Amino acid sequence: MAVSNLAIRNLAIRNREISEIVDGLSADQKQISPKYFYDERGSQLFDDITQLPEYYLTNTELGIMRDNIAEITANVGKQASLIEFGSGSSLKTRILLEHLSQLAAYVPVDISSEHLHASAQQIRDQFPHVDVLPVVADFTRTFSLPKPMVMPVRNIIYFSGSTIGNFEHDMAMELLRVMYQEAGAGGALLIGIDLQKDPNVIENAYNDSAGITAEFNLNMLQHLNRDYGANFDINEFAHSANYDENEGRVVIELISQTDQIFEVGDTAFDIADGEAILTEYSYKYTLEGFAAMANAAGFDVEKVWTDAKQLFSVQFLTRL
Ligand code: AVJ
């Protein structure tokens, strides 16, 4: 029987993921990586979250981009290669592409090949003059860049949505160092960073009244049941999101509603009534705190754009 290389490769990836999930659930603090939020339904639910009145992040970042687009594109300059960390089907990317008329290339980088190629094709359809060169890679490690038809003047790394907030300090630093490497000489980083603010505003963004964030969080268990041989009883877990002001992070968890046992593949786990599975951190920064990290990774904070309420920031960092 012929088994394709692709099938073998996918199996190998899946086995690695299952052992990663089992390891996380075997730790003292049970945890599952936030990357498992994003199956098809999870991606749809996240899109829904971005439309919620409580979830200020997306609309605020969009507003900042729209209000400052002339300055932003002036900082990027002409004939840059725009390298987006993440597959970039968002409105923010479209605003940039609409206003950066002389790009050397647009390079979306994503680990999911399917998602990446679908959104790359949409970008090509909407921006036929742009050289779109998708790269399948795990952007937490360095990867090699494609050669555009036109020689880029500089690389601009784009990382929107405050996605860096998912990473704890050491990993966030590592990611900034990867972006420094990928930017190369003369390169820069355009990044969206959520800011520390009234804890109630933050907590409401992760505890919306429509219950979409709860659904998004619980869907992770459904995803594991469907694709990773788990048997979670979705009805026996509850969504929880609390802002820890000292750590500057939202802690998002699934709380067991009873003493129970669940399995992932062949491994069984006990979980007590009230015990948590950590599914996500969402770090919020002060401008000073983020600047210190950027400096330590070799960047200079050249420009910070914020909204009137200082909820969110878009920052332009150049290599020191
Ligand atoms: C995609 C990581 C930026 O932290 O706000 C939204 C994900 N989780 N609601 C965030 C998320 C729950 C989001 N990021």
Side-chain angles (χ1 to χ4, degrees):
M1 189 177 72
V3 179
S4 74
N5 287 334
L6 185 67
I8 291 171
R9 189 167 161 270
N10 284 340
L11 253 170
I13 291 173
R14 195 166 158 283
N15 283 332
R16 204 182 316 126
E17 288 173 337
I18 290 177
S19 54
E20 175 189 56
I21 292 164
V22 167
D23 284 354
L25 290 168
S26 306
D28 280 347
Q29 166 64 75
K30 291 184 173 66
Q31 50 194 291
I32 309 170
S33 163
K35 72 183 177 195
Y36 296 102
F37 282 136
Y38 301 97
D39 62 352
E40 210 176 298
R41 178 157 167 71
S43 300
Q44 180 57 56
L45 286 166
F46 180 67
D47 279 352
D48 296 344
I49 286 172
T50 66
Q51 311 286 322
L52 292 168
E54 296 97 335
Y55 194 76
Y56 60 86
L57 287 81
T58 311
N59 280 330
T60 309
E61 184 174 23
L62 257 173
I64 295 169
M65 299 288 289
R66 287 205 173 103
D67 290 349
N68 300 282
I69 193 65
E71 243 181 69
I72 291 169
T73 53
N75 275 276
V76 170
K78 290 193 192 324
Q79 216 181 298
S81 179
L82 185 70
I83 300 157
E84 178 156 17
F85 279 37
S87 73
S89 46
S90 79
L91 240 108
K92 291 164 278 184
T93 304
R94 283 160 208 280
I95 292 174
L96 272 178
L97 293 177
E98 266 165 31
H99 290 85
L100 290 167
S101 50
Q102 293 187 57
L103 270 186
Y106 170 63
V107 181
V109 184
D110 201 277
I111 197 156
S112 154
S113 142
E114 212 182 328
H115 199 71
L116 179 69
H117 288 106
S119 75
Q121 194 49 52
Q122 283 179 16
I123 299 283
R124 281 192 195 100
D125 292 345
Q126 196 184 342
F127 303 95
H129 59 283
V130 177
D131 192 8
V132 181
L133 301 169
V135 173
V136 179
D138 170 2
F139 59 61
T140 62
R141 294 146 175 247
T142 52
F143 53 91
S144 47
L145 289 169
K147 286 250 176 305
M149 248 124 62
V150 173
M151 174 74 167
V153 169
R154 69 196 306 206
N155 291 334
I156 305 291
I157 311 295
Y158 184 46
F159 196 35
S160 76
S162 202
T163 304
I164 198 168
N166 267 177
F167 298 88
E168 290 177 75
H169 184 270
D170 288 4
M171 271 300 292
M173 281 302 304
E174 189 57 39
L175 197 50
L176 285 169
R177 287 193 195 99
V178 169
M179 292 191 274
Y180 179 93
Q181 287 295 321
E182 299 297 333
L189 166 60
L190 181 65
I191 187 167
I193 299 292
D194 197 15
L195 300 176
Q196 293 182 9
K197 61 183 70 64
D198 177 355
N200 290 313
V201 173
I202 296 176
E203 275 191 355
N204 287 341
Y206 297 87
N207 291 285
D208 63 278
S209 57
I212 309 294
T213 308
E215 252 187 87
F216 173 73
N217 198 7
L218 285 159
N219 177 66
M220 184 188 275
L221 301 183
Q222 226 128 29
H223 180 201
L224 264 54
N225 285 354
R226 193 182 336 98
D227 293 342
Y228 297 94
N231 69 348
F232 291 100
D233 183 348
I234 312 298
N235 297 316
E236 295 292 353
F237 287 88
H239 167 71
S240 163
N242 294 292
Y243 182 54
D244 180 338
E245 222 178 331
N246 289 322
E247 298 282 348
R249 67 188 181 195
V250 183
V251 179
I252 301 166
E253 299 168 318
L254 290 163
I255 312 289
S256 182
Q257 300 300 290
T258 179
D259 292 329
Q260 55 182 323
I261 294 169
F262 61 83
E263 283 153 35
V264 179
D266 303 327
T267 314
F269 299 89
D270 289 307
I271 189 164
D273 190 359
E275 189 181 343
I277 301 173
L278 172 68
T279 52
E280 184 175 42
Y281 287 132
S282 188
Y283 280 83
K284 311 302 173 191
Y285 291 97
T286 61
L287 292 177
E288 306 73 43
F290 185 71
M293 284 174 63
N295 293 160
F299 286 107
D300 185 34
V301 179
E302 184 119 339
K303 186 79 210 175
V304 176
W305 297 278
T306 60
D307 53 293
K309 293 184 187 159
Q310 299 239 31
L311 297 176
F312 198 94
S313 67
V314 174
Q315 309 200 13
F316 194 78
L317 317 186
T318 50
R319 293 200 0 158
L320 282 168

mmCIF file of all heavy atoms in Angstrom, residues 34 37-38 45-46 49-50 52 55-58 160-167 194 205-208 212-214 216-217 239 241 250 252 280-284 312, ligand 1:
data_model
loop_
_atom_site.group_PDB
_atom_site.id
_atom_site.type_symbol
_atom_site.label_atom_id
_atom_site.label_comp_id
_atom_site.label_asym_id
_atom_site.label_seq_id
_atom_site.Cartn_x
_atom_site.Cartn_y
_atom_site.Cartn_z
ATOM 1 N N PRO A 34 -1.952 27.804 23.666
ATOM 2 C CA PRO A 34 -3.021 28.535 22.969
ATOM 3 C C PRO A 34 -3.073 28.260 21.470
ATOM 4 O O PRO A 34 -4.082 28.565 20.831
ATOM 5 C CB PRO A 34 -2.701 30.008 23.252
ATOM 6 C CG PRO A 34 -1.316 30.048 23.768
ATOM 7 C CD PRO A 34 -1.021 28.700 24.353
ATOM 8 N N PHE A 37 -6.206 26.572 20.140
ATOM 9 C CA PHE A 37 -7.499 27.263 19.971
ATOM 10 C C PHE A 37 -7.951 27.225 18.514
ATOM 11 O O PHE A 37 -9.137 27.234 18.213
ATOM 12 C CB PHE A 37 -7.366 28.754 20.329
ATOM 13 C CG PHE A 37 -7.359 29.065 21.793
ATOM 14 C CD1 PHE A 37 -6.440 29.982 22.317
ATOM 15 C CD2 PHE A 37 -8.287 28.493 22.662
ATOM 16 C CE1 PHE A 37 -6.442 30.302 23.664
ATOM 17 C CE2 PHE A 37 -8.293 28.814 24.013
ATOM 18 C CZ PHE A 37 -7.369 29.719 24.509
ATOM 19 N N TYR A 38 -6.960 27.242 17.600
ATOM 20 C CA TYR A 38 -7.270 27.672 16.237
ATOM 21 C C TYR A 38 -7.503 26.535 15.245
ATOM 22 O O TYR A 38 -6.792 26.387 14.266
ATOM 23 C CB TYR A 38 -6.189 28.638 15.739
ATOM 24 C CG TYR A 38 -6.095 29.857 16.629
ATOM 25 C CD1 TYR A 38 -5.139 29.935 17.637
ATOM 26 C CD2 TYR A 38 -7.012 30.901 16.517
ATOM 27 C CE1 TYR A 38 -5.083 31.036 18.488
ATOM 28 C CE2 TYR A 38 -6.959 32.002 17.357
ATOM 29 C CZ TYR A 38 -5.995 32.064 18.335
ATOM 30 O OH TYR A 38 -5.949 33.142 19.172
ATOM 31 N N LEU A 45 -14.486 31.635 15.754
ATOM 32 C CA LEU A 45 -14.840 32.245 17.045
ATOM 33 C C LEU A 45 -13.915 33.424 17.356
ATOM 34 O O LEU A 45 -14.359 34.447 17.877
ATOM 35 C CB LEU A 45 -14.801 31.203 18.168
ATOM 36 C CG LEU A 45 -15.970 30.211 18.168
ATOM 37 C CD1 LEU A 45 -15.674 29.017 19.082
ATOM 38 C CD2 LEU A 45 -17.277 30.901 18.598
ATOM 39 N N PHE A 46 -12.628 33.296 17.012
ATOM 40 C CA PHE A 46 -11.739 34.434 17.256
ATOM 41 C C PHE A 46 -12.153 35.634 16.403
ATOM 42 O O PHE A 46 -12.166 36.772 16.895
ATOM 43 C CB PHE A 46 -10.261 34.093 17.043
ATOM 44 C CG PHE A 46 -9.394 35.289 17.316
ATOM 45 C CD1 PHE A 46 -9.276 35.799 18.613
ATOM 46 C CD2 PHE A 46 -8.756 35.961 16.290
ATOM 47 C CE1 PHE A 46 -8.527 36.948 18.877
ATOM 48 C CE2 PHE A 46 -8.005 37.109 16.551
ATOM 49 C CZ PHE A 46 -7.888 37.593 17.842
ATOM 50 N N ILE A 49 -14.847 37.216 18.173
ATOM 51 C CA ILE A 49 -14.342 37.963 19.334
ATOM 52 C C ILE A 49 -13.907 39.366 18.920
ATOM 53 O O ILE A 49 -14.199 40.353 19.601
ATOM 54 C CB ILE A 49 -13.167 37.200 20.002
ATOM 55 C CG1 ILE A 49 -13.686 35.985 20.780
ATOM 56 C CG2 ILE A 49 -12.352 38.113 20.917
ATOM 57 C CD1 ILE A 49 -12.597 35.054 21.321
ATOM 58 N N THR A 50 -13.224 39.457 17.759
ATOM 59 C CA THR A 50 -12.704 40.763 17.332
ATOM 60 C C THR A 50 -13.828 41.771 17.049
ATOM 61 O O THR A 50 -13.566 42.967 16.982
ATOM 62 C CB THR A 50 -11.795 40.650 16.086
ATOM 63 O OG1 THR A 50 -12.589 40.230 14.968
ATOM 64 C CG2 THR A 50 -10.658 39.666 16.303
ATOM 65 N N LEU A 52 -16.583 41.925 19.042
ATOM 66 C CA LEU A 52 -17.327 42.167 20.286
ATOM 67 C C LEU A 52 -17.099 43.582 20.803
ATOM 68 O O LEU A 52 -15.983 44.091 20.724
ATOM 69 C CB LEU A 52 -16.860 41.183 21.376
ATOM 70 C CG LEU A 52 -17.192 39.709 21.186
ATOM 71 C CD1 LEU A 52 -16.412 38.874 22.192
ATOM 72 C CD2 LEU A 52 -18.692 39.478 21.336
ATOM 73 N N TYR A 55 -14.198 43.648 23.333
ATOM 74 C CA TYR A 55 -12.838 43.316 22.880
ATOM 75 C C TYR A 55 -12.268 44.511 22.116
ATOM 76 O O TYR A 55 -12.339 44.599 20.893
ATOM 77 C CB TYR A 55 -12.845 42.040 22.031
ATOM 78 C CG TYR A 55 -11.457 41.459 21.829
ATOM 79 C CD1 TYR A 55 -10.819 40.752 22.849
ATOM 80 C CD2 TYR A 55 -10.774 41.636 20.634
ATOM 81 C CE1 TYR A 55 -9.543 40.240 22.680
ATOM 82 C CE2 TYR A 55 -9.491 41.122 20.457
ATOM 83 C CZ TYR A 55 -8.890 40.427 21.482
ATOM 84 O OH TYR A 55 -7.619 39.922 21.313
ATOM 85 N N TYR A 56 -11.676 45.441 22.893
ATOM 86 C CA TYR A 56 -11.224 46.717 22.340
ATOM 87 C C TYR A 56 -9.989 46.580 21.442
ATOM 88 O O TYR A 56 -9.675 47.475 20.663
ATOM 89 C CB TYR A 56 -10.902 47.691 23.504
ATOM 90 C CG TYR A 56 -9.809 47.136 24.402
ATOM 91 C CD1 TYR A 56 -8.471 47.333 24.104
ATOM 92 C CD2 TYR A 56 -10.121 46.350 25.518
ATOM 93 C CE1 TYR A 56 -7.472 46.766 24.877
ATOM 94 C CE2 TYR A 56 -9.131 45.786 26.299
ATOM 95 C CZ TYR A 56 -7.799 45.998 25.965
ATOM 96 O OH TYR A 56 -6.820 45.425 26.721
ATOM 97 N N LEU A 57 -9.258 45.459 21.549
ATOM 98 C CA LEU A 57 -7.931 45.377 20.908
ATOM 99 C C LEU A 57 -7.977 45.626 19.392
ATOM 100 O O LEU A 57 -7.288 46.518 18.879
ATOM 101 C CB LEU A 57 -7.265 44.008 21.165
ATOM 102 C CG LEU A 57 -6.737 43.743 22.576
ATOM 103 C CD1 LEU A 57 -7.846 43.321 23.516
ATOM 104 C CD2 LEU A 57 -5.619 42.719 22.571
ATOM 105 N N THR A 58 -8.782 44.828 18.684
ATOM 106 C CA THR A 58 -8.750 44.852 17.220
ATOM 107 C C THR A 58 -9.207 46.195 16.659
ATOM 108 O O THR A 58 -8.536 46.785 15.809
ATOM 109 C CB THR A 58 -9.630 43.718 16.657
ATOM 110 O OG1 THR A 58 -9.292 42.515 17.337
ATOM 111 C CG2 THR A 58 -9.418 43.550 15.167
ATOM 112 N N SER A 160 1.077 41.996 14.195
ATOM 113 C CA SER A 160 -0.034 42.795 14.707
ATOM 114 C C SER A 160 -0.809 42.065 15.795
ATOM 115 O O SER A 160 -0.497 40.921 16.154
ATOM 116 C CB SER A 160 -0.971 43.150 13.549
ATOM 117 O OG SER A 160 -1.739 42.025 13.206
ATOM 118 N N GLY A 161 -1.812 42.727 16.352
ATOM 119 C CA GLY A 161 -2.784 42.080 17.233
ATOM 120 C C GLY A 161 -2.324 41.834 18.654
ATOM 121 O O GLY A 161 -3.034 41.198 19.427
ATOM 122 N N SER A 162 -1.119 42.300 18.998
ATOM 123 C CA SER A 162 -0.546 42.020 20.316
ATOM 124 C C SER A 162 -0.413 40.515 20.547
ATOM 125 O O SER A 162 -0.501 40.034 21.680
ATOM 126 C CB SER A 162 -1.368 42.653 21.449
ATOM 127 O OG SER A 162 -0.573 42.810 22.610
ATOM 128 N N THR A 163 -0.184 39.784 19.469
ATOM 129 C CA THR A 163 0.002 38.336 19.582
ATOM 130 C C THR A 163 1.225 37.992 20.424
ATOM 131 O O THR A 163 1.276 36.942 21.071
ATOM 132 C CB THR A 163 0.122 37.702 18.181
ATOM 133 O OG1 THR A 163 -1.043 38.060 17.439
ATOM 134 C CG2 THR A 163 0.209 36.185 18.237
ATOM 135 N N ILE A 164 2.197 38.899 20.479
ATOM 136 C CA ILE A 164 3.379 38.661 21.319
ATOM 137 C C ILE A 164 2.975 38.499 22.790
ATOM 138 O O ILE A 164 3.688 37.880 23.571
ATOM 139 C CB ILE A 164 4.445 39.775 21.129
ATOM 140 C CG1 ILE A 164 5.806 39.274 21.641
ATOM 141 C CG2 ILE A 164 4.014 41.088 21.775
ATOM 142 C CD1 ILE A 164 6.982 40.140 21.252
ATOM 143 N N GLY A 165 1.789 39.020 23.144
ATOM 144 C CA GLY A 165 1.261 38.899 24.503
ATOM 145 C C GLY A 165 1.007 37.460 24.940
ATOM 146 O O GLY A 165 0.885 37.182 26.129
ATOM 147 N N ASN A 166 0.929 36.530 23.991
ATOM 148 C CA ASN A 166 0.749 35.112 24.333
ATOM 149 C C ASN A 166 2.007 34.491 24.941
ATOM 150 O O ASN A 166 1.948 33.414 25.510
ATOM 151 C CB ASN A 166 0.396 34.295 23.084
ATOM 152 C CG ASN A 166 -1.097 34.158 22.876
ATOM 153 O OD1 ASN A 166 -1.537 33.586 21.901
ATOM 154 N ND2 ASN A 166 -1.903 34.679 23.786
ATOM 155 N N PHE A 167 3.146 35.167 24.762
ATOM 156 C CA PHE A 167 4.422 34.559 25.159
ATOM 157 C C PHE A 167 4.932 35.113 26.483
ATOM 158 O O PHE A 167 4.894 36.316 26.709
ATOM 159 C CB PHE A 167 5.467 34.791 24.059
ATOM 160 C CG PHE A 167 5.093 34.154 22.741
ATOM 161 C CD1 PHE A 167 4.323 34.850 21.814
ATOM 162 C CD2 PHE A 167 5.483 32.856 22.445
ATOM 163 C CE1 PHE A 167 3.959 34.260 20.600
ATOM 164 C CE2 PHE A 167 5.127 32.258 21.239
ATOM 165 C CZ PHE A 167 4.359 32.957 20.316
ATOM 166 N N ASP A 194 -0.642 45.594 23.156
ATOM 167 C CA ASP A 194 -1.721 46.012 24.060
ATOM 168 C C ASP A 194 -1.122 46.584 25.341
ATOM 169 O O ASP A 194 -0.073 46.123 25.801
ATOM 170 C CB ASP A 194 -2.632 44.809 24.369
ATOM 171 C CG ASP A 194 -3.969 45.246 24.944
ATOM 172 O OD1 ASP A 194 -4.313 46.459 24.837
ATOM 173 O OD2 ASP A 194 -4.679 44.394 25.513
ATOM 174 N N ALA A 205 -12.866 42.395 28.438
ATOM 175 C CA ALA A 205 -12.509 41.994 27.069
ATOM 176 C C ALA A 205 -12.401 40.478 26.947
ATOM 177 O O ALA A 205 -12.516 39.927 25.848
ATOM 178 C CB ALA A 205 -11.203 42.658 26.645
ATOM 179 N N TYR A 206 -12.170 39.806 28.073
ATOM 180 C CA TYR A 206 -12.005 38.344 28.064
ATOM 181 C C TYR A 206 -13.154 37.627 28.774
ATOM 182 O O TYR A 206 -13.101 36.421 29.002
ATOM 183 C CB TYR A 206 -10.636 37.986 28.678
ATOM 184 C CG TYR A 206 -9.508 38.537 27.843
ATOM 185 C CD1 TYR A 206 -9.036 39.842 28.057
ATOM 186 C CD2 TYR A 206 -8.968 37.798 26.795
ATOM 187 C CE1 TYR A 206 -8.032 40.383 27.258
ATOM 188 C CE2 TYR A 206 -7.969 38.317 25.994
ATOM 189 C CZ TYR A 206 -7.504 39.611 26.227
ATOM 190 O OH TYR A 206 -6.517 40.138 25.426
ATOM 191 N N ASN A 207 -14.178 38.399 29.143
ATOM 192 C CA ASN A 207 -15.392 37.846 29.765
ATOM 193 C C ASN A 207 -16.601 38.541 29.149
ATOM 194 O O ASN A 207 -17.382 39.190 29.844
ATOM 195 C CB ASN A 207 -15.373 38.074 31.289
ATOM 196 C CG ASN A 207 -14.315 37.238 31.983
ATOM 197 O OD1 ASN A 207 -14.475 36.034 32.161
ATOM 198 N ND2 ASN A 207 -13.213 37.879 32.365
ATOM 199 N N ASP A 208 -16.747 38.421 27.834
ATOM 200 C CA ASP A 208 -17.799 39.151 27.129
ATOM 201 C C ASP A 208 -19.178 38.640 27.516
ATOM 202 O O ASP A 208 -19.339 37.459 27.851
ATOM 203 C CB ASP A 208 -17.586 39.035 25.620
ATOM 204 C CG ASP A 208 -17.683 37.595 25.155
ATOM 205 O OD1 ASP A 208 -16.676 36.861 25.284
ATOM 206 O OD2 ASP A 208 -18.748 37.193 24.681
ATOM 207 N N ILE A 212 -18.895 34.557 23.948
ATOM 208 C CA ILE A 212 -18.117 34.041 22.812
ATOM 209 C C ILE A 212 -16.710 33.594 23.264
ATOM 210 O O ILE A 212 -16.186 32.579 22.794
ATOM 211 C CB ILE A 212 -17.983 35.098 21.685
ATOM 212 C CG1 ILE A 212 -19.350 35.674 21.296
ATOM 213 C CG2 ILE A 212 -17.281 34.500 20.471
ATOM 214 C CD1 ILE A 212 -20.290 34.709 20.657
ATOM 215 N N THR A 213 -16.115 34.355 24.177
ATOM 216 C CA THR A 213 -14.769 33.985 24.641
ATOM 217 C C THR A 213 -14.804 32.655 25.399
ATOM 218 O O THR A 213 -13.895 31.834 25.274
ATOM 219 C CB THR A 213 -14.169 35.106 25.508
ATOM 220 O OG1 THR A 213 -14.264 36.337 24.794
ATOM 221 C CG2 THR A 213 -12.707 34.837 25.830
ATOM 222 N N ALA A 214 -15.878 32.444 26.153
ATOM 223 C CA ALA A 214 -16.054 31.159 26.846
ATOM 224 C C ALA A 214 -16.142 30.017 25.827
ATOM 225 O O ALA A 214 -15.502 28.973 25.982
ATOM 226 C CB ALA A 214 -17.304 31.201 27.720
ATOM 227 N N PHE A 216 -14.965 30.043 22.796
ATOM 228 C CA PHE A 216 -13.635 29.962 22.179
ATOM 229 C C PHE A 216 -12.700 29.122 23.051
ATOM 230 O O PHE A 216 -11.988 28.231 22.558
ATOM 231 C CB PHE A 216 -13.118 31.395 22.014
ATOM 232 C CG PHE A 216 -11.696 31.542 21.547
ATOM 233 C CD1 PHE A 216 -11.339 31.275 20.227
ATOM 234 C CD2 PHE A 216 -10.708 31.993 22.419
ATOM 235 C CE1 PHE A 216 -10.027 31.444 19.800
ATOM 236 C CE2 PHE A 216 -9.397 32.170 21.994
ATOM 237 C CZ PHE A 216 -9.060 31.895 20.680
ATOM 238 N N ASN A 217 -12.724 29.379 24.342
ATOM 239 C CA ASN A 217 -11.865 28.660 25.280
ATOM 240 C C ASN A 217 -12.265 27.175 25.334
ATOM 241 O O ASN A 217 -11.427 26.287 25.195
ATOM 242 C CB ASN A 217 -11.991 29.333 26.652
ATOM 243 C CG ASN A 217 -10.853 28.974 27.607
ATOM 244 O OD1 ASN A 217 -9.886 28.314 27.223
ATOM 245 N ND2 ASN A 217 -10.982 29.399 28.853
ATOM 246 N N HIS A 239 -15.202 28.324 31.609
ATOM 247 C CA HIS A 239 -14.263 29.390 31.225
ATOM 248 C C HIS A 239 -13.935 30.297 32.406
ATOM 249 O O HIS A 239 -14.809 30.625 33.213
ATOM 250 C CB HIS A 239 -14.927 30.223 30.115
ATOM 251 C CG HIS A 239 -14.240 31.519 29.828
ATOM 252 N ND1 HIS A 239 -13.013 31.579 29.198
ATOM 253 C CD2 HIS A 239 -14.597 32.808 30.077
ATOM 254 C CE1 HIS A 239 -12.656 32.860 29.075
ATOM 255 N NE2 HIS A 239 -13.597 33.619 29.592
ATOM 256 N N ALA A 241 -11.293 33.887 33.152
ATOM 257 C CA ALA A 241 -10.257 34.832 32.711
ATOM 258 C C ALA A 241 -10.105 35.915 33.767
ATOM 259 O O ALA A 241 -11.069 36.618 34.084
ATOM 260 C CB ALA A 241 -10.629 35.446 31.364
ATOM 261 N N VAL A 250 -3.398 38.612 31.559
ATOM 262 C CA VAL A 250 -4.662 37.917 31.731
ATOM 263 C C VAL A 250 -4.335 36.429 31.766
ATOM 264 O O VAL A 250 -3.548 35.941 30.947
ATOM 265 C CB VAL A 250 -5.647 38.214 30.575
ATOM 266 C CG1 VAL A 250 -6.987 37.530 30.817
ATOM 267 C CG2 VAL A 250 -5.836 39.711 30.411
ATOM 268 N N ILE A 252 -5.994 32.874 31.368
ATOM 269 C CA ILE A 252 -7.211 32.263 30.831
ATOM 270 C C ILE A 252 -7.138 30.758 31.083
ATOM 271 O O ILE A 252 -6.135 30.104 30.761
ATOM 272 C CB ILE A 252 -7.373 32.608 29.339
ATOM 273 C CG1 ILE A 252 -7.428 34.142 29.205
ATOM 274 C CG2 ILE A 252 -8.631 31.962 28.755
ATOM 275 C CD1 ILE A 252 -7.258 34.669 27.824
ATOM 276 N N GLU A 280 -4.138 30.023 28.217
ATOM 277 C CA GLU A 280 -3.533 31.193 27.578
ATOM 278 C C GLU A 280 -3.125 32.253 28.595
ATOM 279 O O GLU A 280 -3.822 32.471 29.583
ATOM 280 C CB GLU A 280 -4.546 31.828 26.604
ATOM 281 C CG GLU A 280 -4.026 32.988 25.794
ATOM 282 C CD GLU A 280 -5.028 33.498 24.751
ATOM 283 O OE1 GLU A 280 -6.232 33.601 25.078
ATOM 284 O OE2 GLU A 280 -4.604 33.768 23.620
ATOM 285 N N TYR A 281 -1.991 32.891 28.316
ATOM 286 C CA TYR A 281 -1.663 34.165 28.960
ATOM 287 C C TYR A 281 -1.830 35.250 27.903
ATOM 288 O O TYR A 281 -1.528 35.033 26.723
ATOM 289 C CB TYR A 281 -0.201 34.214 29.417
ATOM 290 C CG TYR A 281 0.137 33.382 30.621
ATOM 291 C CD1 TYR A 281 1.256 32.551 30.607
ATOM 292 C CD2 TYR A 281 -0.614 33.447 31.791
ATOM 293 C CE1 TYR A 281 1.610 31.795 31.720
ATOM 294 C CE2 TYR A 281 -0.277 32.696 32.902
ATOM 295 C CZ TYR A 281 0.837 31.874 32.862
ATOM 296 O OH TYR A 281 1.183 31.138 33.954
ATOM 297 N N SER A 282 -2.289 36.409 28.312
ATOM 298 C CA SER A 282 -2.301 37.553 27.409
ATOM 299 C C SER A 282 -1.658 38.724 28.141
ATOM 300 O O SER A 282 -2.297 39.384 28.962
ATOM 301 C CB SER A 282 -3.734 37.862 26.978
ATOM 302 O OG SER A 282 -3.738 38.846 25.969
ATOM 303 N N TYR A 283 -0.373 38.928 27.864
ATOM 304 C CA TYR A 283 0.394 39.976 28.550
ATOM 305 C C TYR A 283 0.026 41.355 28.030
ATOM 306 O O TYR A 283 -0.180 41.546 26.823
ATOM 307 C CB TYR A 283 1.898 39.767 28.356
ATOM 308 C CG TYR A 283 2.465 38.713 29.281
ATOM 309 C CD1 TYR A 283 2.377 37.360 28.968
ATOM 310 C CD2 TYR A 283 3.073 39.075 30.478
ATOM 311 C CE1 TYR A 283 2.889 36.393 29.823
ATOM 312 C CE2 TYR A 283 3.588 38.116 31.341
ATOM 313 C CZ TYR A 283 3.490 36.779 31.006
ATOM 314 O OH TYR A 283 3.990 35.830 31.856
ATOM 315 N N LYS A 284 -0.051 42.299 28.956
ATOM 316 C CA LYS A 284 -0.272 43.702 28.651
ATOM 317 C C LYS A 284 0.983 44.455 29.099
ATOM 318 O O LYS A 284 1.541 44.137 30.153
ATOM 319 C CB LYS A 284 -1.501 44.238 29.408
ATOM 320 C CG LYS A 284 -2.748 43.339 29.286
ATOM 321 C CD LYS A 284 -3.182 43.105 27.849
ATOM 322 C CE LYS A 284 -4.303 42.099 27.739
ATOM 323 N NZ LYS A 284 -4.538 41.698 26.323
ATOM 324 N N PHE A 312 -4.132 50.907 23.424
ATOM 325 C CA PHE A 312 -3.337 50.020 22.563
ATOM 326 C C PHE A 312 -2.257 50.856 21.876
ATOM 327 O O PHE A 312 -2.383 52.081 21.780
ATOM 328 C CB PHE A 312 -4.282 49.388 21.521
ATOM 329 C CG PHE A 312 -3.740 48.158 20.834
ATOM 330 C CD1 PHE A 312 -4.038 46.897 21.316
ATOM 331 C CD2 PHE A 312 -2.933 48.270 19.698
ATOM 332 C CE1 PHE A 312 -3.539 45.749 20.689
ATOM 333 C CE2 PHE A 312 -2.434 47.125 19.066
ATOM 334 C CZ PHE A 312 -2.741 45.868 19.562
HETATM 335 C C1 AVJ B 1 -4.748 36.685 19.541
HETATM 336 C C2 AVJ B 1 -3.401 36.426 21.471
HETATM 337 C C3 AVJ B 1 -3.995 38.609 20.721
HETATM 338 O O1 AVJ B 1 -4.665 37.643 23.782
HETATM 339 O O2 AVJ B 1 -6.289 38.957 23.206
HETATM 340 C C4 AVJ B 1 -8.733 36.733 22.610
HETATM 341 C C5 AVJ B 1 -6.379 35.915 21.876
HETATM 342 N N1 AVJ B 1 -7.908 35.059 23.684
HETATM 343 N N2 AVJ B 1 -9.614 36.355 23.536
HETATM 344 C C6 AVJ B 1 -5.565 37.993 23.002
HETATM 345 C C7 AVJ B 1 -7.643 35.918 22.694
HETATM 346 C C8 AVJ B 1 -9.122 35.327 24.182
HETATM 347 C C9 AVJ B 1 -5.753 37.241 21.677
HETATM 348 N N3 AVJ B 1 -4.488 37.218 20.879
#
